């Protein structure tokens, strides 16, 4: 991921320096477990830890280049690392990696990194949930028009819109928690996963120290269905971000103007048109969501490896693991800031709600007429006729409101007087159950 969309904490997880430090920790823990089991000398495990830890801690750009230089000769990243570590540890380094295979280190390290990334993403979602809840409570009873197919439907509240997003991101949080649990596995099982040269108790020891579970059957690699589920959870979260961003983009359109991204002092919207205030944050979120979602297909294709292992998944994961988590981390933080500062225009919402002369109350009039004795077919025809008469004359000199057109129809006027019609069209009727919905969404929040 390019630096523009990278936050330091998430980037640090995927840095080569951190990757090598995790590799060392896996090797040191495995050596300590082997020493306890009598597989290697206790003094060897002690030397690996005491001499290796400061060497691993000191890894910076120069040390990364030194390891890379070895790899250019060995053509093997783990061997290059072990060679470099051995130069600092000394003769006892020969007891590192006993009975292990490269995937034991690589896959367990990837699990650690993905768990750490998931922790950051879950915290990101928590921040977004807090912002959505605060704004939902603020606009709990702010009337606005609900739209279906982009067309005015019936009144709702802006708070209910945001409550819906809160509920969605609460589900996304649960998905991320589940994905974290699924990926939090350790494999120290040796070639083809049979433990032929390493005791399963070594794996259990390393897993416990790293906060991971043991992989029941690793076949030399951790099964990639786990990783696919992880990236799928990220993709669904990204899709929800795009839905939120799309809502903001539509509400900011000049013809709507019900809400807009905060416009900072000194901000410029266009190099050519000084009047522009563009929804750049939500448009950026839409693009980032597309990127995150694009990693799902390669993750799914990684599931079908040959026999006990191949490395067709490796190059894919070196790209998608950092990019998907870094991109989603940035996007979630950006969405949180956008919602915290979102400028809302209740007056404009009210104007739009009333802008079609009252036709948005058509269903309630339909129900009132059927309850007053008119057949549903006749009631629907009368209400639709009045609605179309209102809709087609909007802004004209001879325009009449929806209520006026309704009362001009004998079938309507004979069953509903002006007071009864006004009661049926009272917008407050639409908001009677807002508290019930909020209780469902925020009871445990």
């Amino acid at each position: 991921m390019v630096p523009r969309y990278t936050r330091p904490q998430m980037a640090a997880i995927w840095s080569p320096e951190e990757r090598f430090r995790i590799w060392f920790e896996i090797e040191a823990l495995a050596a300590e477990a082997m020493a306890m089991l009598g597989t290697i000398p206790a003094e060897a495990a002690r030397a690996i830890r005491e001499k290796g830890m400061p060497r691993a801690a000191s890894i910076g750009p120069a040390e990364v280049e030194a390891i890379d230089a070895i790899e250019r000769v060995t053509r093997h990243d783990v061997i290059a690392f072990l060679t470099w570590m051995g130069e600092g540890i000394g003769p006892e380094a020969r007891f590192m990696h006993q009975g292990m295979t490269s995937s034991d280190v690589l896959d367990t390290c990837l699990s650690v990194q993905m768990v750490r990334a998931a922790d950051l993403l879950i915290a990101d979602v928590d921040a977004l949930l807090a912002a959505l809840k605060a704004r939902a409570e603020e606009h709990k009873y702010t009337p606005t028009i609900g739209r279906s197919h982009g067309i005015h439907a019936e009144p709702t509240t802006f708070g209910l819109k945001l409550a819906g997003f809160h509920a969605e991101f609460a589900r996304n949080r649960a998905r991320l928690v589940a994905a974290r649990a699924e990926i939090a596995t350790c494999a120290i099982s040796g070639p083809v996963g049979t433990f032929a040269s390493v005791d399963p108790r070594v794996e259990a020891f390393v897993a416990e120290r790293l906060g991971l579970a043991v992989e029941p059957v690793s076949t030399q690699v951790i099964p990639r269905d786990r990783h696919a589920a992880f990236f799928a959870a990220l993709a669904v979260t990204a899709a929800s971000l795009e839905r939120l961003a799309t809502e903001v983009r539509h509400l900011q359109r000049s013809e709507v103007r019900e809400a807009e991204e905060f416009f900072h002092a000194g901000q410029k919207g266009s190099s050519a048109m000084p009047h522009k205030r563009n929804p750049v944050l939500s448009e950026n979120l839409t693009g980032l969501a597309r990127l995150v979602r694009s990693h799902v297909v390669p993750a799914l294709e990684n599931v079908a490896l040959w026999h006990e292992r191949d490395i067709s998944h490796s190059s894919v994961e070196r790209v998608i693991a950092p990019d998907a988590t870094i991109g989603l981390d940035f996007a979630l933080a950006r969405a949180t800031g956008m919602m915290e500062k979102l400028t809302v225009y209740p007056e404009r919402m009210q104007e739009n709600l009333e802008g079609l002369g009252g036709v948005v109350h058509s269903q309630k009039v339909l129900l009132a007429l059927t309850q007053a004795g008119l057949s549903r077919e006749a009631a629907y025809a009368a209400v639709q006729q009045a609605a179309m008469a209102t809709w087609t004359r909007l802004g004209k000199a001879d325009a009449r409101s929806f209520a006026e057109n309704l009362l001009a129809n004998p079938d309507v006027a004979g069953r509903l007087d002006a007071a009864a019609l006004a009661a049926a069209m009272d917008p407050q009727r639409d908001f009677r159950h807002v508290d019930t919905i909020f209780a469902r969404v925020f009871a445990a929040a």
Side-chain angles (χ1 to χ4, degrees):
M1 184 61 69
V2 297
R4 183 182 184 92
Y5 303 126
T6 302
R7 301 207 303 163
Q9 264 190 298
M10 187 64 83
I13 292 172
W14 301 106
S15 70
E17 293 87 349
E18 188 63 16
R19 182 178 72 251
F20 290 139
R21 292 186 191 105
I22 298 170
W23 285 9
F24 169 74
E25 185 62 21
I26 294 167
E27 295 283 5
L29 286 171
E32 288 163 356
M34 292 175 194
M36 286 187 288
L37 294 171
T39 307
I40 67 172
E43 57 269 22
R46 208 162 31 246
I48 290 168
R49 174 66 72 181
E50 291 175 357
K51 295 179 181 179
M53 182 174 286
R55 187 165 176 79
S58 70
I59 294 176
E63 289 72 24
V64 170
E65 172 53 32
I67 297 169
D68 289 346
I70 298 171
E71 185 184 349
R72 285 193 286 272
V73 176
T74 63
R75 304 300 176 110
H76 196 291
D77 52 357
V78 175
I79 292 175
F81 171 74
L82 291 171
T83 300
W84 182 84
M85 286 299 302
E87 292 171 355
I89 294 172
E92 295 89 350
R94 70 185 186 277
F95 293 106
M96 290 178 69
H97 208 69
Q98 290 279 307
M100 295 167 60
T101 187
S102 299
S103 290
D104 292 335
V105 179
L106 297 172
D107 276 13
T108 301
C109 174
L110 182 58
S111 292
V112 171
Q113 291 174 300
M114 293 175 79
V115 164
R116 292 179 183 176
D119 287 337
L120 289 183
L121 293 174
I122 291 166
D124 292 340
V125 172
D126 285 339
L128 180 54
L129 286 169
L132 288 169
K133 181 180 181 181
R135 301 312 300 270
E137 293 285 359
E138 177 187 353
H139 293 285
K140 185 175 183 179
Y141 293 110
T142 300
T144 190
I145 186 62
R147 298 172 174 91
S148 56
H149 306 276
I151 306 301
H152 285 203
E154 291 194 353
T156 183
T157 77
F158 193 59
L160 281 178
K161 279 179 178 276
L162 298 181
F165 284 109
H166 187 283
E168 185 169 342
F169 278 100
R171 294 191 294 274
N172 284 320
R173 186 188 193 281
R175 293 183 187 106
L176 289 172
V177 169
R180 181 196 187 280
E182 183 154 10
I183 201 61
T185 59
C186 168
I188 308 289
S189 55
V192 304
T194 61
F195 297 100
S197 301
V198 60
D199 194 297
R201 288 174 289 180
V202 173
E203 181 183 66
F205 180 87
V206 175
E208 191 275 330
R209 293 299 190 279
L210 294 177
L212 304 175
V214 297
E215 180 58 50
V217 182
S218 61
T219 73
Q220 190 166 331
V221 293
I222 293 173
R224 259 45 194 180
D225 62 291
R226 295 182 180 275
H227 303 71
F230 182 89
F231 289 107
L234 267 57
V236 175
T237 304
S240 295
L241 278 175
E242 183 170 6
R243 191 173 83 86
L244 176 61
T246 299
E247 182 70 21
V248 172
R249 291 170 69 188
H250 281 311
L251 295 180
Q252 188 163 336
R253 285 183 299 133
S254 301
E255 297 82 2
V256 180
R257 300 197 307 280
E258 293 180 358
E260 69 173 346
E261 298 169 8
F262 182 77
F263 200 77
H264 295 263
Q267 183 174 343
K268 304 293 187 290
S270 166
S271 63
M273 297 166 283
H275 73 278
K276 294 296 289 297
R277 293 160 69 103
N278 299 329
V280 292
L281 299 180
S282 49
E283 289 176 343
N284 174 255
L285 286 173
T286 298
L288 289 171
R290 292 170 184 166
L291 278 177
V292 174
R293 290 200 305 271
S294 72
H295 298 316
V296 174
V297 171
L300 289 168
E301 291 175 342
N302 277 353
V303 174
L305 301 180
W306 283 21
H307 305 299
E308 278 60 54
R309 75 158 293 196
D310 64 56
I311 64 164
S312 60
H313 62 289
S314 177
S315 56
V316 174
E317 289 167 357
R318 289 175 191 267
V319 175
I320 69 173
D323 278 9
T325 54
I326 287 171
L328 186 58
D329 172 59
F330 182 90
L332 285 165
R334 169 151 286 185
T336 298
M338 179 181 72
M339 295 312 299
E340 287 174 342
K341 295 182 178 180
L342 189 72
T343 304
V344 180
Y345 300 111
E347 298 84 2
R348 179 63 181 174
M349 290 180 179
Q350 189 67 42
E351 289 174 14
N352 285 341
L353 195 156
E354 297 171 352
L356 296 185
V359 299
V360 296
H361 304 296
S362 67
Q363 179 187 206
K364 293 184 286 295
V365 176
L366 170 65
L367 296 177
L369 285 172
T370 58
Q371 291 166 4
L374 198 60
S375 72
R376 179 176 177 82
E377 292 72 17
Y380 194 104
V383 173
Q384 185 180 46
Q385 182 184 47
M388 295 305 106
T390 307
W391 186 291
T392 56
R393 304 307 297 170
L394 286 172
K396 304 293 194 301
D398 60 345
R400 292 192 298 186
S401 70
F402 183 46
E404 290 171 333
N405 281 321
L406 283 166
L407 291 173
N409 186 321
D411 286 339
V412 176
R415 288 170 173 81
L416 298 175
D417 59 19
L421 187 59
M425 297 173 63
D426 181 2
Q428 293 307 310
R429 293 186 58 185
D430 295 281
F431 311 141
R432 288 178 298 176
H433 301 297
V434 169
D435 285 342
T436 299
I437 300 170
F438 265 62
R440 291 176 175 178
V441 175
F442 299 112

